Amino acid sequence: MPRLRLDEPLWLDKNAAARQVRFPRLERSAEADVAVVGGGITGAAIAWRFARAGARVVLVEAARIGRGSTAASTALLMQEPDEDFADLADRYGTATAARIWQLSLDSTRELISTLTRLRIRCNLARRDSVYYAQTTGHIRRLRDEHRLRRSAGFGGRWLDTRAVRRAIGFDAAGAVRTRGNAQVDPFRACVGLLRAAAGHGARIFERSPVVTTCASGNGVVVETERATVRAERVIVATGYATPCFKPLEARFRMMNTYVIATAPLTPAERRRLGLGAVMMWDTDRPYHYARWAPDDRLLLGGGDRPMVTGARRAAALEKGVRELRDHFVRLYPSLDEVKLEYRWEGLFATTPDGLPYIGPHRRYPRHLFALGYGGNGMTFGFLASKLLLEYCSNGSSRDQALFAFNRHR
């Protein structure tokens, strides 16, 4: 497996206390109702939801909890999927697109309320998003997108050029401003959910790589390097198809994404920059985005590109970071004088329609999957935890079918 990230993200460097949180290796065989493979934010949400429902949960993580793709994330809790409403409507019809958007919206709200109710200290802050266009072609498409969203019952206020400048500090032809989104520290959120899961009896193990999983009789056997977990079901929440599930690889496109973080800006520097307390992203593909961290650092991300591996990956990181910085300096010339203190790269999986795969696969009895979240991992990962619990309780549903492996037929 390739490494899930390069270099040290801001979240790990600034979380000395959280980094001291350690979970044991799986040294002895265990039994469970549900075995969860993957200790990122999605696995944490699944472990918490199933344990809270009374299931015996054992979670195993190959490396350290929350230090893979979760730590590489900039953790924008977005109700808007990566794919525009218009694109999903063209592919699946307006009613289906509207249901997908509603589920994403509901998941965002529930995740925010859950982190608040559990009192997880993860720098949760509610933020509007500003989705902007700069070219004539993009502005026409964005106006159509806004119209379709509104007709389907979703909010979002149109911003003209003057309103865009007030919100994000530079000229753009137009934008859609959406309320109800948020941002967090992803590592702290992950650890907090796992602690909550443990409070309901879940057993959490790290540094316990899974070697094989196999359906056996009325259950499934999960083999790690040192011990075995026997469970009624296994839920694979590794983000993408690991070598254990090689036949699924063709369903995913692996991408590298890039992030840079400035040094803390002074109040004068923030005013000169002009970006308000919003999360912004553009209509480019691949898109670019920016948000503020709690200590007045500016986080800049995006510029995704197909996965680069081996010796070329470090060079690709340098190039990706340089192009990301140049992009934002063109928008904010004053950034040229601001020191950059962090830069990192993460690995994630996309799917043909930008939606995750959630649920069973006919090739793997007693296995459930939560894979391919794209750039909206925290929202869709939390949604996966809900849909999978519903599946285990009541069987397949219309909502689960929206994210099924066979939806492309």
Side-chain angles (χ1 to χ4, degrees), residues 262-267 269-270 273 291-299 338:
T262 69
L265 272 66
T266 67
E269 288 173 325
R270 284 194 62 153
L273 200 70
R291 76 165 177 94
W292 291 105
D295 59 356
D296 292 325
R297 297 176 191 275
L298 185 61
L299 301 183
V338 175

Side-chain angles (χ1 to χ4, degrees), residues 2 52 118 182 227 255:
R52 188 184 65 152
L118 294 177
M255 304 291 289

Side-chain angles (χ1 to χ4, degrees), residues 187-322:
F187 181 71
R188 289 185 177 183
C190 180
V191 171
L193 283 172
L194 284 172
R195 283 173 166 165
H200 287 287
R203 290 174 287 171
I204 315 298
F205 300 95
E206 60 184 9
R207 296 168 294 169
S208 303
V210 171
V211 179
T212 62
T213 65
C214 180
S216 176
N218 294 324
V220 63
V221 178
V222 179
E223 295 279 357
T224 71
E225 290 182 343
R226 302 187 181 200
T228 298
V229 181
R230 296 184 179 274
E232 293 181 11
R233 295 182 184 275
V234 59
I235 300 178
V236 181
T238 50
Y240 64 96
T242 62
C244 288
F245 306 99
K246 192 173 180 60
L248 301 183
E249 284 183 357
R251 292 179 174 270
F252 303 95
R253 188 183 188 197
M254 302 305 299
M255 304 291 289
N256 294 129
T257 190
Y258 305 97
V259 186
I260 53 182
T262 69
L265 272 66
T266 67
E269 288 173 325
R270 284 194 62 153
R271 286 194 298 272
R272 191 157 55 248
L273 200 70
L275 175 62
V278 298
M279 307 182 301
M280 73 171 199
W281 58 308
D282 60 26
T283 55
D284 291 348
R285 293 296 182 268
Y287 57 76
H288 308 82
Y289 58 89
R291 76 165 177 94
W292 291 105
D295 59 356
D296 292 325
R297 297 176 191 275
L298 185 61
L299 301 183
L300 310 169
D304 307 340
R305 63 188 66 190
M307 177 179 66
V308 175
T309 58
R312 297 184 299 125
R313 191 171 175 184
L317 170 59
E318 296 301 328
K319 181 180 180 183
V321 165
R322 183 172 62 253

